[in-house]
Amino acid sequence: MTGQPGRTGQDRETDRDREVDEALALVSRAPAPVPEHATVPAPKSRTGATPWAEARAAAARAGRAAAPRTHRVPLGQALGQVLAEPLDALTDLPSFDTSAMDGWAVAGPGPWLVKEGGGILAGHAAPEPLADGEAVRIATGARIPPDATAVIRSEHARAEEAKGSGKGLLYALRAVLQGQDIRPRGQECRTGDRLLPAGSLVTPAVLGLAAAAGFDALLTVPRPRVEVLILGDELLTSGLPHDGMVRDALGPLLDPWLRALGAEVTATRRLGDDADALHRAVTTSDADLVITTGGTAAGPVDHVHPILRKAGAELLVDGVAVRPGHPMLLARLTQDRYLVGLPGNPLAAVSGLLTLAEPLLRARARLPSLEPYCSPVRDAVSGHPHDTRLVPVVHRTDSRTDSRGGGRSGSGTDADAGRAAGRGGGQEQGREQAVPLHYNGPAMLRGIAAADGLAVVPPGGAQADQELEILDLPWTEGRFT
């Protein structure tokens, strides 16, 4: 294609990069074994491309550099946010002595004379004191009457009428211990006790604890606001692809994925390949993070770089040494506003989302950094000569059953094959491994749709059983439910 008018050297380099990506997606041969004691030269990244780990660190630094914001929100709106101040109890828990069981409140040794009238129910005012030798019906959570010494569970007591008196007597069916089945005031905490430190994630359990401790609202770090700009004149929002038009896969994918990462998606807009519209959208957005899809390379309608220059943005990351997704970028628009440019190919865009957007959003929301973890890969994985690869994987128990989702036979799915891997008869049964999935080219989503993680493959590839870092996907942690 060297004779095509308007083509530049950078265009031709992009074409070569794309050809390498597509080839890597289709080969399955193992990387050549490295002889023992051999010296392996350090791989070199493409000129100007930021190493993958450095790009993630730069994105996290950008998120932390933004001025912290806080707001006080009702409990029902605080889920998934981070506490901006410690959670200190506003009351004793419980705030009064309560019954831990349905049964009888008793005073002193038995048998006990049953008090006439109704029992004590939860939510009622303080009951009358019990005299020594008296018993009264009590419900779980009800206030313990003054001078009561224990609660006897219903199944551990027998009530019968006293002969000649017409009054009831209560007998214990087993030994009664002082204070049994009574939750004393302040058993869980006292007023002012530190329940959780600032920086804690607000989970459903934290909401329950906060409510029990007397809170109606919490001071939290708000979710980062994200606006998504979908670029490309060739994209359809419905129907079948036709006449060179293709379906937009990223619009439906990005919104829920970003929400699972803790962001508030303020809008998803489709701008086509209009440079002026893109410039207006980027410069007028009030979102903390603008995400664009496509247009990050150097083609005739790739407008992201030109509009960033026009807007006076500062490029923090301009290309990453990772496959797929190397044309991704990170730019500072203003002091506290950023833009992440994702490549237009779907899996390449996912790579950019996990490389740049996720670390920035977690840091901006003051969420704790995810602890990296490693897993052995069941099969050898081909690598790029110079760049990191992100390859969809599924975790299964050790087996040598093929897991390529019909990549060789043409039948089955990645998910079915991954499940079959757990039923195989391989060695070391029961050991969990990450099984690389087929259909992992930059334009493909079939592999990641069956995956529960992405393996970080170093330059040159990985041998079978080699430990690789794994990036979790949101659905493996239940963040979509």
Side-chain angles (χ1 to χ4, degrees), residues 97-463:
D97 294 348
T98 63
S99 176
M101 293 288 171
D102 293 329
W104 301 87
V106 299
W112 300 270
L113 183 65
V114 177
K115 291 189 67 172
E116 297 179 355
I120 306 171
L121 301 177
H124 287 222
E128 296 179 358
L130 279 184
D132 199 41
E134 286 187 327
V136 64
R137 277 277 187 189
I138 194 167
T140 301
R143 298 184 70 157
I144 296 293
D147 301 325
T149 54
V151 169
I152 305 175
R153 303 182 188 192
S154 298
E155 62 271 25
H156 297 165
R158 183 184 78 253
E160 58 185 48
E161 185 176 321
K163 295 180 180 179
S165 68
K167 295 185 177 182
L169 283 178
L170 182 74
Y171 295 89
L173 302 181
R174 59 179 61 185
V176 177
L177 304 177
Q178 179 84 13
Q180 73 178 29
D181 286 329
I182 293 176
R183 295 186 61 216
R185 175 173 181 165
Q187 182 185 51
E188 185 172 0
C189 68
R190 290 290 185 181
T191 301
D193 280 357
R194 178 73 37 95
L195 304 178
L196 290 170
S200 298
L201 179 67
V202 179
T203 64
V206 170
L207 292 176
L209 175 62
F215 288 87
D216 299 318
L218 294 174
L219 186 70
T220 63
V221 179
R223 296 173 180 268
R225 297 165 300 172
V226 177
E227 184 171 4
V228 179
L229 306 178
I230 307 292
L231 311 182
D233 288 339
E234 74 279 14
L235 300 178
L236 298 169
T237 58
S238 62
L240 295 176
H242 61 85
D243 301 325
M245 306 287 286
V246 298
R247 283 294 298 269
D248 168 30
L250 293 179
L253 177 151
L254 287 174
D255 187 295
W257 201 313
L258 289 164
R259 294 181 193 278
L261 295 180
E264 175 191 348
V265 180
T266 59
T268 297
R269 295 198 277 161
R270 290 170 171 82
L271 303 182
D273 287 319
D274 187 329
D276 292 335
L278 177 59
H279 181 265
R280 284 194 301 273
V282 168
T283 55
T284 60
S285 174
D286 63 355
D288 301 312
L289 175 64
V290 176
I291 291 182
T292 61
T293 66
T296 57
V301 291
D302 290 336
H303 300 309
V304 174
H305 280 92
I307 72 100
L308 289 175
R309 287 193 293 269
K310 184 178 178 181
E314 177 189 1
L315 276 172
L316 304 178
V317 174
D318 189 9
V320 177
V322 66
R323 303 303 175 105
H326 58 93
M328 68 182 75
L329 61 85
L330 169 64
R332 180 185 286 115
L333 299 174
T334 64
Q335 182 63 32
D336 291 331
R337 296 177 54 249
Y338 294 87
L339 180 143
V340 166
L342 302 179
N345 277 323
L347 188 57
V350 169
S351 173
L353 192 65
L354 295 178
T355 300
L356 298 177
E358 179 171 9
L360 189 151
L361 290 171
R362 290 191 69 86
R364 183 67 182 257
R366 300 304 187 258
L367 289 167
S369 299
L370 294 175
E371 290 295 327
Y373 80 93
C374 295
S375 176
V377 284
R378 197 198 65 178
D379 306 322
V381 187
S382 299
H384 186 274
H386 310 300
D387 297 347
T388 299
R389 280 191 76 201
L390 301 182
V391 176
V393 296
V394 64
H395 288 80
R396 297 295 179 229
T397 51
D398 189 16
S399 170
R400 297 297 163 178
T401 303
D402 188 0
S403 67
R404 291 182 176 83
R408 294 179 179 176
S409 66
S411 62
T413 66
D414 278 331
D416 291 337
R419 283 190 288 271
R423 298 192 296 268
Q427 300 173 349
E428 300 182 49
Q429 285 292 319
R431 185 178 66 139
E432 187 176 76
Q433 292 179 307
V435 182
L437 298 175
H438 203 40
Y439 303 109
N440 53 39
M444 300 178 182
L445 288 176
R446 184 172 170 182
I448 198 169
D452 56 22
L454 284 173
V456 182
V457 182
Q463 303 292 331

Side-chain angles (χ1 to χ4, degrees), residues 4-84:
Q4 183 174 341
R7 303 287 290 171
T8 67
Q10 189 170 2
D11 292 332
R12 290 189 288 274
E13 181 185 355
T14 299
D15 288 341
R16 287 194 296 271
D17 288 340
R18 187 177 296 112
E19 291 167 1
V20 170
D21 283 341
E22 296 293 353
L24 284 171
L26 297 175
V27 300
S28 59
R29 65 179 182 271
V34 178
E36 191 175 2
H37 308 305
T39 301
V40 180
K44 297 179 180 179
S45 294
R46 297 181 307 115
T47 302
T50 304
W52 180 77
E54 291 183 19
R56 281 174 60 85
R61 286 195 301 271
R64 289 191 295 270
R69 293 184 290 124
T70 62
H71 62 175
R72 194 170 297 277
V73 293
L75 294 184
Q77 299 176 20
L79 183 65
Q81 299 181 33
V82 168
L83 292 178

